[in-house]
Amino acid sequence: DADVTQTPRNRITKTGKRIMLECSQTKGHDRMYWYRQDPGLGLRLIYYSFDVKDINKGEISDGYSVSRQAQAKFSLSLESAIPNQTALYFCATSVKDRDTGELFFGEGSRLTVL
Amino acid sequence: GQNIDQPTEMTATEGAIVQINCTYQTSGFNGLFWYQQHAGEAPTFLSYNVLDGLEEKGRFSSFLSRSKGYSYLLLKELQMKDSASYLCAALDSNYQLIWGAGTKLIIKP
């Protein structure tokens, strides 16, 4: 079983619908992240959380919200999906030692907004 | 602004050596990462450099020059399974990762 699990893996939805992507981890890491990946662009950070009571906006947080329900769970919501949110979304975790910054990624959630 | 540049695509032959370059401009610098990403899969960590010089790890090596804002990933004895995208990322002064768009490496027999 994967240490960082994302659900759903694939989702097709329509403009205006609310979507939630879920991430759970068994690595025991405090830090969790949500990224999106688009062809020809680098990974872009949406939100990150350093512990359960800590939520921070990333580079492209507009149109997204997150919830850190527990150390192991970090959910990403699109309140009203739009076509330019079609992308591959990755959840990632890291340990507290920020000097290394090594990230452990989930398998990705491919979202298509029609 | 902050920027990472790396070639979009490279082609190499099985058994050969390939060098993937990366230049970065960031607000402060706390290290340079290389990740491998096979098509449709998650990125996986390859290397981390924070000091100048070459770090070798099996067939893969990574080099950093902080004064030049430059890094490269060297892959030796290429295998077909090395066909993937290679992502360069720099850790800025706020310990945020700035990602390049990735280099797609195509290995030919």
Side-chain angles (χ1 to χ4, degrees):
Chain A
D1 287 341
D3 293 325
V4 184
T5 303
Q6 294 182 227
T7 56
R9 295 291 311 281
N10 288 283
R11 182 73 184 269
I12 299 173
T13 191
K14 294 181 178 179
T15 297
K17 294 291 188 181
R18 183 177 186 273
I19 296 296
M20 179 180 286
L21 305 180
E22 299 186 346
C23 177
S24 62
Q25 53 117 345
T26 57
K27 300 189 75 68
H29 290 169
D30 288 308
R31 301 182 170 194
M32 298 188 73
Y33 309 78
W34 275 105
Y35 283 93
R36 66 177 279 176
Q37 187 175 42
D38 299 274
L41 297 178
L43 286 161
R44 291 184 291 168
L45 184 62
I46 306 171
Y47 273 96
Y48 62 102
S49 168
F50 284 173
D51 65 42
V52 174
K53 296 182 180 179
D54 176 73
I55 299 290
N56 302 283
K57 292 183 177 181
E59 180 187 353
I60 53 162
S61 58
D62 287 349
Y64 301 94
S65 62
V66 291
S67 172
R68 184 82 184 265
Q69 301 95 322
Q71 188 210 34
K73 295 185 183 297
F74 193 37
S75 300
L76 177 71
S77 293
L78 289 68
E79 294 301 325
S80 179
I82 56 177
N84 76 1
Q85 291 177 314
T86 293
L88 182 58
Y89 290 85
F90 285 105
C91 174
T93 71
S94 70
V95 295
K96 235 178 192 179
D97 178 4
R98 62 183 187 177
D99 288 342
T100 64
E102 179 183 353
L103 298 177
F104 298 84
F105 287 86
E107 295 161 309
S109 297
R110 186 168 295 281
L111 176 65
T112 302
V113 184
L114 301 176
Chain B
Q2 306 200 96
N3 193 52
I4 306 284
D5 284 318
Q6 53 182 130
T8 303
E9 186 174 297
M10 298 182 70
T11 302
T13 304
E14 190 176 15
I17 299 172
V18 71
Q19 177 175 310
I20 303 174
N21 296 324
C22 170
T23 58
Y24 63 89
Q25 291 178 305
T26 55
S27 301
F29 178 76
N30 284 296
L32 194 290
F33 293 80
W34 285 96
Y35 282 76
Q36 180 190 59
Q37 185 178 22
H38 286 101
E41 298 183 9
T44 55
F45 171 81
L46 286 177
S47 68
Y48 168 69
N49 295 66
V50 67
L51 300 175
D52 286 354
L54 187 68
E55 296 273 349
E56 297 185 74
K57 193 185 294 185
R59 294 188 299 114
F60 291 10
S61 302
S62 56
F63 172 84
L64 176 67
S65 169
R66 294 177 66 133
S67 62
K68 294 182 179 178
Y70 168 69
S71 174
Y72 67 73
L73 181 69
L74 191 71
L75 291 74
K76 301 177 184 176
E77 301 169 15
L78 285 169
Q79 302 175 9
M80 297 304 292
K81 68 178 182 180
D82 297 330
S83 292
S85 289
Y86 292 85
L87 313 181
C88 173
L91 200 60
D92 71 9
S93 58
N94 294 318
Y95 291 91
Q96 296 296 327
L97 276 171
I98 310 302
W99 295 84
T103 299
K104 183 178 181 181
L105 179 62
I106 299 167
I107 310 295
K108 295 186 174 180

